[in-house]
Amino acid sequence: MTKKTRFYNTTVSKPRPIKPIKGKLGILLPGMGAVASTFIAGVLSARKGIGKPVGSLTQMGAIRIGKRTDNNHPKIKDFVPLADLNDLVFGGWDIFPDNMYQAACKAGVLEHAHLTPIRKELEKIKPMKAVFDPNYVSRISGPNVKKGSSKMDLAQQLMTDIQQFKKTNKCDRIVIVWCGSTEKYQTQAPVHQSWAAFERGLQENSPDISPSQIYAYAAMKCGIPYANGAPNLSVDIPAIHDLAIKNNVPICGKDFKTGQTFMKTVLAPAFKARLIGMHGWFSANILGNRDGEVLDDPEAFKTKEESKLSVLDHILQPEVYPELYGNVDHRVRIVYYPPRGDNKEGWDNIDIFGWLGYPMQIKVNFLCRDSILAAPIVLDLALFLDLAKRSNMHGIQEWLSFYFKSPMAAPGLAPEHDLFIQLMKLKNTLRWLKGEELITHLGIEYYD
């Protein structure tokens, strides 16, 4: 009989044993610009002991096991079997042929003092030719692009790249994390509704199939976990979801939660917890990196805007609290400003109201570093997806919602955006994987 673990008012089956770690883990990144080069350089620095992976839950986070009085808080990396930083191998695709040292220098995120000790390792990491379509990303172009007779041909070329990378680098396992540009806004079409329709679309060069979807398809066919770090319509289509289930592949997305939206998922839950009303939330961003250049295109900005705007409605639940949140004016602006580079700045003006309807305001000015915040997310997603694969988990990994602006969830199920609920979900999943008691924070047991 299957052992059950009690969780609130439901029961969940005990997971299968986690397959042990062996060999190297290859991390392939579609898009090897600022985020990817910062991530890779950071891991290489941490290996040498010349930098700390600040912001990474897998490297620096702890997890409570048992009661508060047990005082048992092991590091997450000691609690669940995660790939070691020394066993990671990096690769990927980009429309520019720059190696990772060149890409890091051009991105301007990290200082040369941090890049010089790892220059030789970075120079060895060169991108493969990318699948690219200017109809989906119009503001940038590069020479390092694949050519093919059809989109199916391009997908098969990606599968060959994956297999060759795995063989050449003697990797036991592979994960893919999308770090590429935001594509133009897209809604689901008939070609996205089943994997059979999708494969016909690949063969017939359907204009509704984007480059990011081709990467996702190649990953599913190769049985490789995939995380979507951009707001693109990518793995969140029935065709890819069905393939993920069929081929036993974990998937998650979408759009890394880094700066302004991260702050919204912290502040908005606080307002709702105290039943403080809201009239409006105006958000403005300036950034000057490649992402900002791409988002200068209105079609690409609409994709990002939809991702950013979805957060407040789900957290505030205006249908439950119409008097407090039924008429919130929520606006988002992004301006490409080259002098700022990767150092993004976000301004937020929040108009709230309290007792008897008296108005108040909160102003937030977040001077953040986009790639510095994204790099630990890439690392955590790669390691957790590898854990999920070895734990026989497949399909949507809702427990990884913690890392995304627009988290995936089962059809018909609203995603969870509250950062603290997301973290509880993530840590409870890790406890569940190890057969430990899940924590509800009820606390009544200390007073019985």
Side-chain angles (χ1 to χ4, degrees), residues 263-278:
M263 295 305 298
K264 285 181 180 176
T265 62
V266 172
L267 293 172
F271 300 145
K272 190 177 78 170
R274 290 291 299 270
L275 298 176
I276 295 172
M278 184 180 299

Side-chain angles (χ1 to χ4, degrees), residues 239-260:
I240 300 300
H241 188 198
D242 290 348
L243 268 178
I245 298 296
K246 179 175 181 287
N247 293 342
N248 201 37
V249 184
I251 57 175
C252 60
K254 58 185 181 178
D255 204 4
F256 297 143
K257 181 161 62 180
T258 52
Q260 196 169 63

Side-chain angles (χ1 to χ4, degrees), residues 153-286:
D153 181 24
L154 293 173
Q156 289 170 341
Q157 289 182 46
L158 289 177
M159 288 183 248
T160 300
D161 288 345
I162 293 167
Q163 293 159 359
Q164 187 61 48
F165 179 88
K166 185 176 182 180
K167 180 180 178 181
T168 301
N169 293 280
K170 299 178 181 179
C171 295
D172 180 68
R173 307 167 321 281
I174 301 286
V175 296
I176 295 179
V177 182
W178 175 276
C179 295
S181 296
T182 299
E183 297 173 336
K184 75 173 185 179
Y185 183 69
Q186 188 182 18
T187 56
Q188 290 188 22
V191 74
H192 300 131
Q193 300 309 308
S194 71
W195 63 267
F198 191 84
E199 289 185 337
R200 285 195 302 272
L202 287 171
Q203 293 163 349
E204 297 169 1
N205 282 327
S206 169
D208 292 317
I209 296 179
S210 69
S212 66
Q213 291 163 14
I214 298 174
Y215 280 97
Y217 171 80
M220 297 306 101
K221 294 294 283 187
C222 292
I224 292 172
Y226 188 100
N228 177 22
N232 309 332
L233 188 70
S234 180
V235 290
D236 51 331
I237 55 177
I240 300 300
H241 188 198
D242 290 348
L243 268 178
I245 298 296
K246 179 175 181 287
N247 293 342
N248 201 37
V249 184
I251 57 175
C252 60
K254 58 185 181 178
D255 204 4
F256 297 143
K257 181 161 62 180
T258 52
Q260 196 169 63
T261 307
F262 165 63
M263 295 305 298
K264 285 181 180 176
T265 62
V266 172
L267 293 172
F271 300 145
K272 190 177 78 170
R274 290 291 299 270
L275 298 176
I276 295 172
M278 184 180 299
H279 290 305
W281 194 316
F282 180 81
S283 299
N285 298 265
I286 58 172

Side-chain angles (χ1 to χ4, degrees), residues 23-33 35-48 53 56 58-59 83-94 98-101 118-128 161-162 164-177 179 374-383:
K24 298 177 181 178
L25 173 64
I27 301 178
L28 290 176
L29 310 168
M32 300 188 76
V35 171
S37 61
T38 304
F39 156 64
I40 294 171
V43 173
L44 295 178
S45 295
R47 281 179 183 174
K48 291 179 178 291
S56 170
T58 60
Q59 303 306 302
D84 188 84
L85 295 189
N86 291 305
D87 294 326
L88 304 184
V89 182
F90 308 104
W93 301 266
D94 201 274
D98 299 335
N99 63 50
M100 284 300 89
Y101 178 75
I118 53 174
R119 176 171 180 168
K120 290 183 179 179
E121 292 110 312
L122 289 173
E123 288 178 334
K124 292 177 182 178
I125 304 171
K126 300 176 182 179
M128 297 174 278
D161 288 345
I162 293 167
Q164 187 61 48
F165 179 88
K166 185 176 182 180
K167 180 180 178 181
T168 301
N169 293 280
K170 299 178 181 179
C171 295
D172 180 68
R173 307 167 321 281
I174 301 286
V175 296
I176 295 179
V177 182
C179 295
I377 292 178
V378 178
L379 175 60
D380 285 359
L381 286 172
L383 299 189

Side-chain angles (χ1 to χ4, degrees), residues 356-402:
L356 303 181
Y358 277 76
M360 297 174 281
Q361 286 188 350
I362 294 178
K363 311 279 190 185
V364 180
N365 183 202
F366 190 9
L367 286 81
C368 64
R369 297 173 182 262
D370 211 30
S371 297
I372 293 296
L373 292 170
I377 292 178
V378 178
L379 175 60
D380 285 359
L381 286 172
L383 299 189
F384 279 144
L385 279 177
D386 178 53
L387 173 67
K389 176 71 173 177
R390 288 184 286 108
S391 303
N392 200 41
M393 301 169 77
H394 54 268
I396 296 169
Q397 303 299 298
E398 190 185 345
W399 63 286
L400 296 177
S401 297
F402 180 74

Side-chain angles (χ1 to χ4, degrees), residues 109-123:
V109 179
L110 302 177
E111 297 175 3
H112 284 282
H114 292 126
L115 295 175
T116 300
I118 53 174
R119 176 171 180 168
K120 290 183 179 179
E121 292 110 312
L122 289 173
E123 288 178 334

